[in-house]
Amino acid sequence: MGKKSLITKILFAAVSMASLGCAESMATGADRPKLVVGIVVDQMRWDYLYRYYELYGEGGFKRLMDEGYNCENTMINYVPTVTAVGHASIFTGSVPSIHGIAGNDFMQDGKMAYCCEDTTVHSVGGTSAAGRMSPRNMLATTIGDELKIATDFKAKVIGVSLKDRASILPAGHSADGAYWIDYSTGTFITSSYYMQSLPEWVSAFNKKYGGRSEKEISYSSYGNMITAEMAKAAVEGEALGQDAVTDMLTVSFSCTDKVGHKYATHGNEIRDIFVDLDKRLADMFTYLDRKVGKGQYLVFLTADHGAANNILMLQKHGIPAGGFVADKTAEALNAYLEQKFGARQKLVACISNYKVFLDRKAIRSLSLNIDDVKESAVEWLKQNPAYAYVVDLEHANDAPIPSAIRERIINGYHRLRSGDIQIILNPANYEVASEVIDGGTTHGVWNPYDSHIPFILMGWNVSPGKTNAKTTINDIAATVCAMIHIQMPNGCIGNAIDF
């Protein structure tokens, strides 16, 4: 072998080794935190940061606000503002029109389907149907998926929540695991989408904490506790944040939503569940300081949606408010359309998420024109003074409505899943089960009480501060991805905040 040839081979080997070293450095997360923790508080209105401020301790919400960067004007830019859509939008940086999660339930193949329903998989850790879930209905990637890709799939990504959709959708398609409660046993389960048997650390956790009823778990501080403890167990069991590769943990606290629905926004119960959550957060941050290292993890906290003030409370104080009974509206609309078109079958499949879903199969079988049916339905609905706007979703861009509402309608419209007509109610009007209004509340509309959410970053490379600049729910993923130097999710429409 000639000297020149030998030198060439040595140089080539050196360059190759250097390239491999560079690739490995990039894959293991150079200039990234050890762990990213995404926390979602279900049904947390932005103003809860301040309403209960004096009751919070120093290590939870106050620590976030004191040490973190607080985006005070973060808004949801779509309808409906519900749990599945919120969790998908936070972690994809996208909207239903793109990521496809158009509601907790939406139309799929001509029938209403649950957002995470997947009949091709089975429960792992239980025998009920509660584990027949996966992220397959979500059409976009998440922060966790992009972290996986950026690290050549070396990163670990785990999702934890009491609710399946609040665990599955944030963790994404390529997650190592997502865990949620099977209320028939009171234990955490998962799906064969992820694995064939529970890890030992999950089984051990279930032996320690399992067996409580749904009421005990969902409507008390116990649910907050086991969510936080399960998150800590995931850090221990999966050794998250313990090597050179950045990992991700998503945690969603669901009890706040359950309590909010039952007791509304101003009861002692909602106050108590948030004060308890504050303690859980403080404990979790202290644990992460010790286990991962203070300043070595990046945490962000936000919410999937807010909540309306109770109708009766508002009316008592002279504030206009009212209820919308979807089933009765659908029944009356059906009667009108059947009479108008001489139909002997229902032309409205249902009203869900303030959207009218027409029965297109029935309309075709009667040789009716879908546009004629929609036009008649819109005109009939407009007679109700409680409906501020009634919009044909295929022509939303032409509707004479405020641009902010139009944007939310368009962003929330997936043409294959979102129905045909959008109903926009007057402020402080929301869906109720019947004309007998109770002391609870709900969410789902465009108004600030449902769409103004917290967004705070704390930890790795975050200096204290705050902004009142306009921020959207989509900016969360864009910001986190920019901070940790990975590509934003493939459906992301957000912008990284400048701080």
Side-chain angles (χ1 to χ4, degrees), residues 29 35 67 74 77 99 122 144-145 160 214 218 244 254 357 376 402 447 465 467 491 495:
L35 179 65
E67 296 183 15
T74 301
N77 57 349
H99 62 57
H122 61 265
D145 289 325
V160 171
E214 180 174 1
S218 294
S254 303
F357 290 79
S376 296
N447 308 74
T467 180
N495 296 294

Side-chain angles (χ1 to χ4, degrees), residues 77-372:
N77 57 349
Y78 55 77
V79 286
T81 47
V82 296
T83 298
V85 186
H87 284 82
S89 298
I90 291 163
F91 289 89
T92 65
S94 194
V95 291
S97 178
I98 298 169
H99 62 57
I101 302 299
N104 292 336
D105 300 275
F106 47 78
M107 190 68 70
Q108 197 164 25
D109 300 325
K111 62 179 181 179
M112 293 301 290
Y114 180 63
C115 58
C116 293
E117 178 183 333
D118 188 346
T119 57
T120 70
V121 299
H122 61 265
S123 296
V124 173
T127 58
S128 75
R132 302 192 74 179
M133 306 289 170
S134 84
R136 287 191 173 113
N137 288 329
M138 186 166 61
L139 307 177
T141 60
T142 62
I143 301 170
D145 289 325
E146 296 299 331
L147 179 62
K148 283 277 195 177
I149 294 169
T151 60
D152 295 330
F153 298 91
K154 294 181 176 67
K156 285 188 176 181
V157 178
I158 303 290
V160 171
S161 181
L162 300 182
K163 293 182 180 180
D164 50 54
R165 57 188 179 272
S167 171
I168 292 167
L169 299 174
H173 299 275
S174 59
D176 296 274
Y179 303 97
W180 58 93
I181 286 286
D182 180 347
Y183 285 110
S184 69
T185 59
T187 56
F188 278 94
I189 62 169
T190 188
S191 156
S192 60
Y193 176 88
Y194 304 100
M195 62 193 72
Q196 295 303 312
S197 61
L198 287 180
E200 289 186 11
W201 66 267
V202 179
S203 297
F205 186 92
N206 284 336
K207 288 179 181 178
K208 183 176 181 179
Y209 293 105
R212 298 290 185 102
S213 69
E214 180 174 1
K215 183 178 180 181
E216 290 177 289
I217 295 170
S218 294
Y219 294 93
S220 73
S221 59
Y222 187 81
N224 281 344
M225 185 274 288
I226 62 169
T227 303
E229 291 302 312
M230 182 65 173
K232 290 160 59 178
V235 173
E236 291 282 349
E238 300 291 342
L240 302 181
Q242 300 303 303
D243 58 24
V245 182
T246 301
D247 298 317
M248 185 167 190
L249 173 67
T250 73
V251 188
S252 181
F253 290 92
S254 303
C255 294
T256 45
D257 182 70
K258 293 285 190 177
V259 171
H261 276 293
K262 187 172 183 179
Y263 299 104
T265 60
H266 281 72
N268 293 338
E269 296 85 358
I270 196 69
R271 176 201 64 203
D272 292 346
I273 202 70
F274 270 92
V275 171
D276 176 78
L277 176 60
D278 177 65
K279 296 174 183 176
R280 308 299 173 188
L281 292 174
D283 177 70
M284 184 183 297
F285 297 151
T286 299
Y287 167 80
L288 291 171
D289 288 344
R290 182 178 70 253
K291 187 68 179 180
V292 182
K294 189 173 182 179
Q296 297 300 308
Y297 62 92
L298 172 65
V299 62
F300 65 89
L301 181 141
T302 187
D304 52 349
H305 54 75
N309 292 314
N310 178 259
I311 292 169
L312 297 178
M313 182 193 79
L314 295 176
Q315 290 177 344
K316 180 181 177 181
H317 295 279
I319 298 173
F324 167 73
V325 186
D327 289 345
K328 283 193 171 294
T329 302
E331 183 180 339
L333 177 57
N334 254 321
Y336 168 74
L337 294 175
E338 287 171 31
Q339 181 181 29
K340 181 176 179 62
F341 291 99
R344 293 186 177 181
Q345 54 185 306
K346 293 180 179 180
L347 302 183
V348 176
C350 66
I351 296 179
S352 178
N353 294 318
Y354 305 96
K355 292 179 172 67
V356 178
F357 290 79
L358 296 176
D359 189 332
R360 290 175 173 256
K361 184 177 180 180
I363 292 169
R364 285 194 301 269
S365 72
L366 296 168
S367 300
L368 297 175
N369 184 296
I370 183 69
D371 290 329
D372 291 342

Side-chain angles (χ1 to χ4, degrees), residues 368-385:
L368 297 175
N369 184 296
I370 183 69
D371 290 329
D372 291 342
V373 177
K374 282 196 291 184
E375 183 179 354
S376 296
V378 167
E379 291 308 312
W380 183 85
L381 289 163
K382 281 182 176 179
Q383 296 177 49
N384 192 324

